[in-house]
Amino acid sequence: MAAVALLRPACPKAEIYPGLRAKPPVPCRAPEDRNRPPPPIDRAMDEEYDVIVLGTGLKECILSGLLSVDGLKVLHMDRNDYYGGDSTSLNLNQLWKRFRGEDKPPAHLGASRDYNVDMVPKFMMANGTLVRTLIHTDVTKYLSFKAVDGSYVFSKGKIHKVPATDMEALKSPLMGLFEKRRARNFFIYVQDYDEADPKTHQGLDLTTMTTRELIAKYGLSDDTVDFIGHALALHRDDRYLNEPAIDTVKRMKLYAESLARFQGGSPYIYPLYGLGELPQGFARLSAVYGGTYMLNKPDCKVEFDMEGKVCGVTSEGETAKCKKVVCDPSYLPNKVRKIGKVARAIAIMSHPIANTNDSHSVQIILPQKQLGRKSDMYVFGCSYTHNVAPKGKFIAFVSTEAETDHPESELKPGIDLLGQVDELFFDIYDRYEPVNEPSLDNCFVSTSYDATTHFETTVTDVLNMYTLITGKTVDLSVDLSAASAAEEY
């Protein structure tokens, strides 16, 4: 599978999609340097900043980069001594220490430095908002990507490929012959729909009509509705059926456009060396535009004035003054509320996931109805082909919105799809959302990462926060068409 460089070549001899304009290759870092962030800039705490950003998770790093590009004076701090926060990637020793409390994993798993295991595993829609943000900010010059091999859905106890071509759709066992005809008519309507052209609406107002009402016009079965809503529109539960149909139609169009972008087996791409590269890329962007970074700053305490507005951040007895604070929920626990929790399993394997055509990178969606649950379950698979594990090793994640306190049993339907595993780790973490009013205290808190295996909800939160902070919207009408022609080096 070819590597995808949206703006620049990847390492020498990689097959790539060259991107939007020619750039000199950036020297490739050695594998042992992949977790080494750009050096923090040494600057005293006694300055005043427009914005102080706390935490170097992906959301905070994107905002830090966007605000720095806008010309704001930004200080970015983290209590940890590494970049990425909750969305970092760990080598094998770090993974072992986190989940087993030991520094020495077994030798048969290979070298620690060859692992880059994501703590928030997600793929990127090829035409989605994160890719548009990467191109808009030029952060793509720090990253290289590969297309993801396949996208699958779990239905009636079996794994089925989400059709990527007309021929695959015709042969797919997901629908019978007559159902395929009805579904085809619906897909044609969605494909031709243009929000700005009433002629394509066929007299339907999708801003008031629910998804359930729209689908009913085409007589589709419950199983087909399940497939469309969860495997194509990527809804997390069935609430969308009673919401305006325009959102589902837009999601389906994004899926189709992303699928066509690189003409692979899925609509997704994924960065070489894992997602830990993303926050580091945006951190570099911020630094280029004058952002200041301070890692390993313990006990970051947000300070408020007499009116309850933020006025600075104190760490180690020093206070940096500021007008606004951006942070993840862990820095302002009194301004967030718990909204759920995510259960997750991480598996190291020596083979691809069964029934996925030996795919080295794959997503499998298990819709809620298939499991008798309230929300979907997701399987995310990647491997040495994305430089996240040693040769011959595969990494799989199973995640869902937790409905019990027992992740081992709750995740069993997804884990059963993996086959034999070399090692298996379980994790469960709480999800939070802000409850404060930013206009009153100038604190802008991100929402915790959800269980989905794509970035659309993540970037939506970032863009909404950016608008709250600046009063502006990010122009994501970038040229996506140029990154298509393959070339070998």
Side-chain angles (χ1 to χ4, degrees):
M1 183 61 68
V4 180
L6 299 177
L7 285 177
R8 69 168 180 88
C11 298
K13 298 184 180 178
E15 294 175 80
I16 61 109
Y17 293 98
L20 303 179
R21 61 181 181 273
K23 284 181 176 286
V26 175
C28 297
R29 284 182 286 159
E32 59 267 28
D33 291 333
R34 286 283 164 181
N35 288 322
R36 188 176 300 162
I41 300 173
D42 185 19
R43 186 181 292 179
M45 286 277 288
D46 59 359
E47 294 197 31
E48 183 167 352
Y49 298 86
D50 295 312
V51 181
I52 293 180
V53 181
L54 300 176
T56 52
L58 178 60
K59 292 184 180 184
E60 289 72 37
C61 284
I62 294 176
L63 285 166
S64 177
L66 291 172
L67 297 172
S68 296
V69 170
D70 279 353
L72 297 180
K73 188 176 179 180
V74 176
L75 171 62
H76 202 149
M77 303 167 65
D78 196 312
R79 63 170 71 93
N80 299 309
D81 60 359
Y82 57 85
Y83 282 72
D86 290 338
S87 54
T88 192
S89 299
L90 303 181
N91 63 35
L92 187 59
N93 286 341
Q94 292 167 331
L95 183 74
W96 218 260
K97 186 172 182 179
R98 176 164 178 166
F99 291 103
R100 300 279 166 86
E102 304 170 13
D103 280 328
K104 304 223 172 161
H108 69 83
L109 294 178
S112 171
R113 69 184 186 186
D114 290 338
Y115 284 86
N116 291 283
V117 182
D118 296 330
M119 290 297 96
V120 181
K122 292 179 186 288
F123 290 132
M124 299 162 58
M125 296 289 282
N127 266 28
T129 47
L130 181 53
V131 168
R132 291 174 180 272
T133 304
L134 286 164
I135 294 174
H136 169 79
T137 56
D138 212 20
V139 167
T140 42
K141 65 188 174 186
Y142 305 121
L143 303 163
S144 296
F145 302 84
K146 264 192 175 183
V148 172
D149 292 343
S151 181
Y152 291 77
V153 64
F154 182 79
S155 180
K156 298 180 179 178
K158 294 183 179 179
I159 298 174
H160 300 278
K161 189 175 190 302
V162 178
T165 65
D166 292 343
M167 189 60 68
E168 284 186 1
L170 194 61
K171 294 179 179 179
S172 174
L174 283 167
M175 293 177 276
L177 180 60
F178 294 109
E179 183 71 2
K180 285 175 182 174
R181 291 177 181 173
R182 290 188 288 269
R184 181 175 181 273
N185 291 333
F186 177 62
F187 291 150
I188 289 173
Y189 174 79
V190 171
Q191 178 181 315
D192 293 343
Y193 184 88
D194 180 351
E195 194 171 8
D197 183 2
K199 293 178 184 176
T200 66
H201 300 181
Q202 297 183 15
L204 305 178
D205 183 358
L206 301 192
T207 62
T208 58
M209 173 181 272
T210 67
T211 305
R212 191 188 302 276
E213 291 168 339
L214 174 62
I215 289 175
K217 291 184 66 66
Y218 291 87
L220 301 179
S221 72
D222 287 347
D223 285 338
T224 303
V225 173
D226 214 29
F227 161 69
I228 289 171
H230 295 267
L232 298 181
L234 302 177
H235 289 291
R236 290 178 283 176
D237 52 46
D238 281 344
R239 285 178 294 181
Y240 76 95
L241 289 169
N242 299 314
E243 295 171 350
I246 184 67
D247 180 50
T248 295
V249 168
K250 286 181 177 180
R251 285 166 171 257
M252 291 179 67
K253 290 177 76 68
L254 171 62
Y255 189 100
E257 291 161 2
S258 296
L259 185 62
R261 173 100 184 270
F262 296 118
Q263 300 179 349
S266 83
Y268 304 108
I269 60 176
Y270 181 70
L272 298 181
Y273 299 98
L275 296 175
E277 297 289 282
L278 288 174
Q280 292 185 39
F282 282 100
R284 285 180 170 82
L285 173 70
S286 178
V288 166
Y289 283 88
T292 301
Y293 276 79
M294 293 182 178
L295 300 183
N296 203 19
K297 297 293 288 184
D299 305 320
C300 293
K301 181 187 176 187
V302 180
E303 306 286 358
F304 296 89
D305 62 19
M306 298 294 290
E307 297 178 352
K309 291 184 180 293
V310 68
C311 60
V313 174
T314 299
S315 176
E316 299 179 301
E318 296 181 296
T319 300
K321 296 178 182 178
C322 67
K323 301 179 182 73
K324 297 176 180 178
V325 160
V326 174
C327 65
D328 70 48
S330 69
Y331 286 89
L332 283 173
N334 61 328
K335 292 185 180 290
V336 298
R337 65 167 181 165
K338 182 179 173 181
I339 54 172
K341 51 190 176 182
V342 172
R344 177 181 57 191
I346 304 170
I348 300 175
M349 310 188 303
S350 298
H351 58 83
I353 298 172
N355 303 308
T356 62
N357 196 31
D358 290 334
S359 295
H360 283 218
S361 52
V362 63
Q363 174 185 255
I364 307 171
I365 293 177
L366 292 76
Q368 60 172 88
K369 195 177 292 183
Q370 300 293 325
L371 305 177
R373 292 175 45 82
K374 298 176 185 174
S375 58
D376 292 357
M377 188 173 295
Y378 303 89
V379 175
F380 172 110
C382 53
S383 72
Y384 61 93
T385 59
H386 276 91
N387 298 345
V388 297
K391 182 81 171 173
K393 292 297 182 184
F394 296 75
I395 309 292
F397 305 84
V398 182
S399 58
T400 190
E401 193 73 21
E403 297 173 10
T404 73
D405 292 320
H406 307 288
E408 292 91 342
S409 57
E410 194 165 356
L411 294 169
K412 189 175 186 302
I415 294 170
D416 287 347
L417 301 179
L418 303 182
Q420 178 153 359
V421 302
D422 299 336
E423 298 290 342
L424 189 61
F425 309 88
F426 288 98
D427 190 20
I428 191 164
Y429 64 87
D430 293 330
R431 292 184 59 229
Y432 298 93
E433 69 176 7
V435 294
N436 65 307
E437 177 47 65
S439 63
L440 298 179
D441 58 17
N442 285 334
C443 293
F444 303 85
V445 187
S446 61
T447 300
S448 303
Y449 299 95
D450 59 31
T452 60
T453 47
H454 58 84
F455 271 111
E456 295 309 294
T457 53
T458 296
V459 184
T460 297
D461 185 32
V462 169
L463 298 179
N464 289 339
M465 289 178 68
Y466 175 82
T467 299
L468 280 174
I469 295 165
T470 66
K472 302 186 296 185
T473 57
V474 180
D475 179 11
L476 296 181
S477 56
V478 296
D479 178 13
L480 290 165
S481 63
S484 57
E487 187 175 336
E488 289 193 13
Y489 285 76

